[in-house]
Amino acid sequence: MQEKHWKENTMEAPEKQLFGTNGVRGIIGEQMNPELVMKIGMVLGTMRKGRIGVGRDTRTSGPALSRAIIAGLLATGCDVVDLGVLPTPAVQYLVREHFDAGAVITASHNPPEYNGVKIIEGDGTEMDDTQTICLEGHLFAKEFTLAGWESMGTLSAAPEMIHEYITAVAGYWKDIDADGMTVVADPGSGPACESTPQVLTKMGCHVVTINGMMDGTFPGRMPEPSPEGLQPLSELVRNTGAAFGVAHDGDADRAVFVDETGEYLEENEQFALVERFICSETPGIVVTPVSTSFLAERIAEETGSVVDYTRVGSISVARRMIALAEEGKTVVFGGEGNGGLILPGNQHCRDGAMTAATMVALLKSSGKTLSELRTTLPPHVMLKDKIHTDSPHELLKNAKTAFSGDTLDLTDGVRINRQGMWALLRPSGTEPFMRLYVEAETEKEAEAFRDEITRVISP
Ligand code: MG
C-alpha cells in the first residue's frame, strides 16, 4: 500500500455566482444583455480608475455590448480606448503595456448566441476569483460611483494598436526563419482573422487561410475548434502540402493543430511537444492544472524539469506562474491541456497566435514533421466521463475515504495518483454532475481504473 498523502487545498476558491471560470457568459437577450454589461462597466470603473482598454470578438452582439461596457466605464469617469475587434490575448498584451485595466466582450468557444465579458487587470492577467467576487458583490448591491459632468471619462478609438501585439508575437522567436513553410490558418471567422496570418507571414511562413473573414454568424464552423469542425482545415492542409494547420477558439486565446497528414493533434500531446521544446532549451518549472495528462510529468522528468499543479482554469495557472517567478523560481512554461498555452517570456496568459508561432519554431528546430514528433510521446490513454449526481460533495467524501490508501491530491476535487495512472473527480461548477478523468498507459488499464472508481463511489 502506498503511503497516505493528502495535499490540502491551498488555492480553494470561494463561490462565484455570476462569473464562471473565465468571465461572465450567457445567451444574448436572456441572461446576457446590454443593461447587465453596462452595470459591469460602472462597477469596474468604480473599482479600477484610470485608462481602460476595451476590445471584442466578432459576435453579432459585440457592438451592442461593447458600447454598453464603454458607457458604464465613461459614466464613472474612466477614460476608454476602444481597441475594436481583436483577440483576447492582444487586449491582455496592450493592457499590460498601456492601460490600468481592460475588458473583452467575448464568449470564447461558446456558440454564436452567447456573449460575455472577460475583465483584464493592469498586469494583463484575467481578474482573479477574489476580485471577481468583490465585483459581483458591488454589482448585486448596485454599488458604483457615477462621475459629474466635469469628470466624465473621454473616449477614443485605437484599432491600430493591435499591430504592436502582432509585432511582439512575430518577433518572439527571432532566431527562427520559417523559410517559406506552408501553414494553413483557420481563425474560425473570429478576431484573429488578420493577426494570426500576419504573425505567421512575418515569421516567413507561406500562409493559406480558411474561415478567414470575420463573421459573427460563424458560417464555416462553430467557435469551438473541434476535430469534426476542422475537417475542411485538414483537407486543405493535405491539398497544400502544409507543415501543419492551426485553428483558434472564438477569442483566439487557444490554438489547436492538425499535422501534415491532416490528423488532429490531441491538445495534451500538443502541450507535451511544446513543453519538450521549451524545457530542452531551459529546464525549469512547468505550471498546469491537475486535469492535464501525465505526459507533462514524463516530459518534465526527461528534460530535468518539474511540474507544479494548480486548480483547473487558466487564471490559476497564470497567477501561480507569476507568484513562483516573483519568488525567484525559473518558470519556463505553463497552460492547460486544451490548447491554452502560456509562454511566460511573451505574457502570462493563454495566447493562440503565440502558440502557432511556437509550433513554427518547434518544427524548424526539430527538423521533423509533426506526425513524426507525436510518435515520440510515451503511450497514454485518457478517458473523460460524467457522473450524474445531486450531491457531488458526498461523492467526493466517499472517494477520499475509499481511496485513502492511495496518494491523493486535493488541489481541485480529488485526484488519485497511482503508478502509471491517475484519476480526477471534480464537481461541475454549474451543473449537477461530476467530471471523471482517468489516464493510464493502455485503454485496458484506464477502463479498469475507471470502473473501480465508479463502482466504489456510486454503488
Ligand atoms: Mg477562449
Side-chain angles (χ1 to χ4, degrees):
M1 196 193 270
Q2 282 176 288
E3 195 193 337
K4 182 171 141 180
H5 168 66
W6 284 13
K7 183 178 168 191
E8 286 297 345
N9 301 24
T10 48
M11 304 173 73
E12 185 66 75
E15 298 290 317
K16 287 173 285 188
Q17 296 174 60
L18 190 60
F19 281 70
T21 313
N22 293 99
V24 53
R25 285 179 211 162
I27 294 175
I28 194 77
E30 294 179 22
Q31 313 95 325
M32 184 51 57
N33 54 68
E35 188 186 348
L36 171 66
V37 173
M38 186 181 70
K39 285 180 181 156
I40 292 173
M42 292 196 290
V43 173
L44 177 63
T46 306
M47 288 174 69
R48 302 278 181 273
K49 291 282 172 214
R51 230 169 140 240
I52 317 286
V54 173
R56 63 178 174 94
D57 69 16
T58 58
R59 283 160 206 275
T60 54
S61 54
L65 296 193
S66 126
R67 281 155 178 82
I69 202 156
I70 289 172
L73 289 163
L74 292 170
T76 52
C78 289
D79 294 328
V80 177
V81 178
D82 186 353
L83 301 168
V85 177
L86 71 177
T88 295
V91 177
Q92 293 181 275
Y93 185 88
L94 294 172
V95 167
R96 188 191 70 183
E97 296 295 307
H98 301 287
F99 299 102
D100 297 300
V104 192
I105 303 298
T106 179
S108 190
H109 62 276
N110 290 113
E113 63 271 26
Y114 284 78
N115 212 338
V117 186
K118 285 184 180 181
I119 310 279
I120 313 300
E121 295 284 16
D123 64 358
T125 62
E126 286 179 63
M127 184 176 263
D128 69 12
D129 286 345
T130 315
Q131 290 300 306
T132 302
I133 287 162
C134 179
L135 187 148
E136 284 186 350
H138 292 314
L139 190 69
F140 295 138
K142 299 191 176 69
E143 288 164 356
F144 36 76
T145 313
L146 297 180
W149 71 271
E150 73 289 356
S151 49
M152 275 288 134
T154 60
L155 174 63
S156 56
E160 73 286 353
M161 282 183 88
I162 190 178
H163 294 291
E164 193 181 323
Y165 162 78
I166 292 170
T167 304
V169 175
Y172 186 81
W173 298 105
K174 48 185 174 303
D175 298 333
I176 299 287
D177 178 4
D179 199 20
M181 174 193 280
T182 300
V183 175
V184 184
D186 179 349
S189 313
C193 282
E194 284 162 20
S195 48
T196 291
Q198 283 184 32
V199 164
L200 295 169
T201 303
K202 276 176 185 279
M203 290 180 77
C205 296
H206 168 61
V207 183
V208 180
T209 57
I210 178 169
N211 301 316
M213 300 278 278
M214 294 189 190
D215 187 336
T217 66
F218 303 99
R221 66 165 173 88
M222 286 292 104
E224 172 64 26
S226 66
E228 301 73 45
L230 301 184
Q231 288 306 323
L233 169 67
S234 293
E235 203 170 306
L236 194 53
V237 166
R238 282 191 296 265
N239 292 343
T240 53
F244 67 88
V246 57
H248 295 308
D249 72 324
D251 67 336
D253 55 359
R254 288 192 289 136
V256 300
F257 297 93
V258 299
D259 70 18
E260 80 286 0
T261 71
E263 183 96 5
Y264 187 83
L265 179 67
E266 197 273 320
E267 295 93 323
N268 279 288
E269 297 184 341
Q270 170 198 339
F271 186 99
L273 290 177
V274 174
E275 178 187 357
R276 180 187 273 158
F277 171 56
I278 305 277
C279 293
S280 305
E281 295 261 311
T282 318
I285 300 173
V286 174
V287 182
T288 197
V290 284
S291 52
T292 301
S293 165
F294 60 39
L295 290 177
E297 270 182 45
R298 301 286 164 90
I299 300 293
E301 279 162 29
E302 182 189 307
T303 56
S305 300
V306 287
V307 175
D308 187 283
Y309 285 111
T310 68
R311 291 176 62 85
V312 172
S314 64
I315 303 177
S316 297
V317 176
R319 299 214 165 256
R320 180 78 180 147
M321 290 174 82
I322 292 171
L324 288 169
E326 279 171 357
E327 287 171 24
K329 307 264 172 63
T330 308
V331 184
V332 289
F333 179 54
E336 306 171 298
N338 64 1
L341 306 191
I342 302 175
L343 282 295
N346 170 47
Q347 55 174 344
H348 284 100
C349 72
R350 300 177 295 179
D351 189 331
M354 187 66 224
T355 304
T358 303
M359 184 57 77
V360 173
L362 185 166
L363 289 176
K364 270 288 159 194
S365 305
S366 76
K368 291 200 170 75
T369 66
L370 191 46
S371 67
E372 285 168 350
L373 285 171
R374 121 193 286 169
T375 62
T376 62
L377 292 172
H380 60 102
V381 177
M382 201 193 285
L383 306 177
K384 292 183 182 178
D385 261 338
K386 282 179 186 175
I387 300 172
H388 288 271
T389 171
D390 291 324
S391 48
H393 294 284
E394 194 71 17
L395 282 197
L396 281 184
K397 238 170 81 186
N398 291 350
K400 270 192 244 177
T401 313
F403 293 95
S404 60
D406 288 294
T407 305
L408 300 183
D409 182 334
L410 306 180
T411 302
D412 195 351
V414 176
R415 178 168 158 145
I416 309 157
N417 290 316
R418 283 186 185 172
Q419 189 65 38
M421 63 185 84
W422 62 272
L424 176 69
L425 278 159
R426 197 177 155 262
S428 157
T430 47
E431 287 162 273
F433 65 79
M434 183 87 97
R435 290 182 198 283
L436 172 59
Y437 296 13
V438 181
E439 191 180 34
E441 285 172 12
T442 65
E443 185 121 27
K444 212 172 136 204
E445 286 172 314
E447 284 172 355
F449 193 16
R450 178 194 59 195
D451 295 346
E452 180 189 341
I453 292 166
T454 47
R455 208 171 39 240
V456 168
I457 62 162
S458 50

